[in-house]
Amino acid sequence: MRIVSLLPAATDIVAELGLAGALVGRTHECDWPPEAVRDTPVVTSAGLDAQGMGSKEISEAVGGARHSGSSLYALDVGKLTELAPDVVLTQELCEVCAVSYGSVAGAVRTMESGPTVLSLEPRTLTDVLGCVERLGAELGVPLEGSRQVSALRGRLEQVRRSVAGRPRPRVAAIEWLDPLWPAGHWVPEQIRTAGGEPLLAEPGEHTEPVDWETVRAAQPEVLLLMPCGLSPERTEAEQELLTGLPGWAELPAVRNGQVWVVDGPAYFNRPGPRVVRGTEVLAHILHGVTTGEEVTPAEARRGDR
């Protein structure tokens, strides 16, 4: 089987299923696991130089609140055709996160080989695990898919047990800094599983930007900064977008030193198996408990107070 993944989370899942060797194409943002994807041909490119832009400029470039993402990705249709995949993995949930489904469908229609296109649409933590199981079945390794899902569910249950009966702090998770965009979809469930009370978004919700007064009024006791696609270092460099806002110093999270910068691309933005690790990281942040490996500064660090 020849697989092209046009979604970083799908690449994560393929690797988790032991099928990294079947990957013949990936996006320029598929970076995990590094040793498995390093030599896999890239079939997309960035449509803008986000490294040289601020959060507000990036947001405006991809359509602002409309979240269109039309200028973010270019698909190399010629390269895709040359690779002759049997399966193409994509998504329709968010055009800012990957090549648009319409672009993929149009490209596939021009290919003589007629690959199968599988679109992943997870909105909740349960959906994410369901995608792992579904891809296991679709890619011919159903037993491995079931085994991996069972292991991931076991880790989530271990987190739940470790925080059971503890006070549940009020948690606001921010996935973009300018405009302020609360993290929705599976992130509220990650927070709840880790022993927190999520604010600003419900499980499965596709969120919209909020104003600063909405965040202030929520009075979060913990503030998580996880901008979509930005490294922790980049997030730290842009924290002044928040620290200069009126009333910042009065937020309970700021007063108590509970502003955290986490690795969004690795554990929160992408709906792949590593959202389980993200939940373990949150249990450490919210309650100081450790399940699985020790949490490192690369995964979570205290933000500017």
Side-chain angles (χ1 to χ4, degrees), residues 50-90:
Q51 292 300 318
M53 303 168 69
S55 291
K56 187 176 182 62
E57 292 174 300
I58 294 172
S59 181
E60 291 174 346
V62 301
R66 287 171 41 246
H67 221 55
S68 63
S70 58
S71 62
L72 270 183
Y73 299 91
L75 176 63
D76 187 338
V77 178
K79 185 67 175 178
L80 182 65
T81 302
E82 177 188 322
L83 293 171
D86 301 304
V87 177
V88 176
L89 305 177
T90 185

Side-chain angles (χ1 to χ4, degrees), residues 17 30 52 61 72 93 126 129 134 138 143 146 151-153 179 184 199 213 217 223 229 249 254 256 272 284 289 305:
L17 293 171
C30 294
L72 270 183
L93 188 65
T126 299
L129 299 186
R134 177 193 170 197
E138 296 276 8
L143 293 181
S146 296
L152 292 169
R153 285 178 176 149
L199 306 172
E213 288 307 313
L223 188 61
V254 177
N256 298 323
H284 170 75
V289 303
R305 300 176 66 172

Side-chain angles (χ1 to χ4, degrees), residues 152 206 228 293 297:
L152 292 169
H206 190 77
C228 189
E293 298 179 358

Side-chain angles (χ1 to χ4, degrees), residues 11-70:
T11 303
D12 290 5
I13 295 174
V14 169
E16 194 83 0
L17 293 171
L19 296 175
L23 280 170
V24 297
R26 63 178 174 92
T27 76
H28 62 286
E29 291 192 333
C30 294
D31 55 8
W32 188 268
E35 68 281 357
V37 303
R38 186 178 297 114
D39 298 324
T40 304
V42 173
V43 297
T44 67
S45 58
L48 55 85
D49 179 18
Q51 292 300 318
M53 303 168 69
S55 291
K56 187 176 182 62
E57 292 174 300
I58 294 172
S59 181
E60 291 174 346
V62 301
R66 287 171 41 246
H67 221 55
S68 63
S70 58

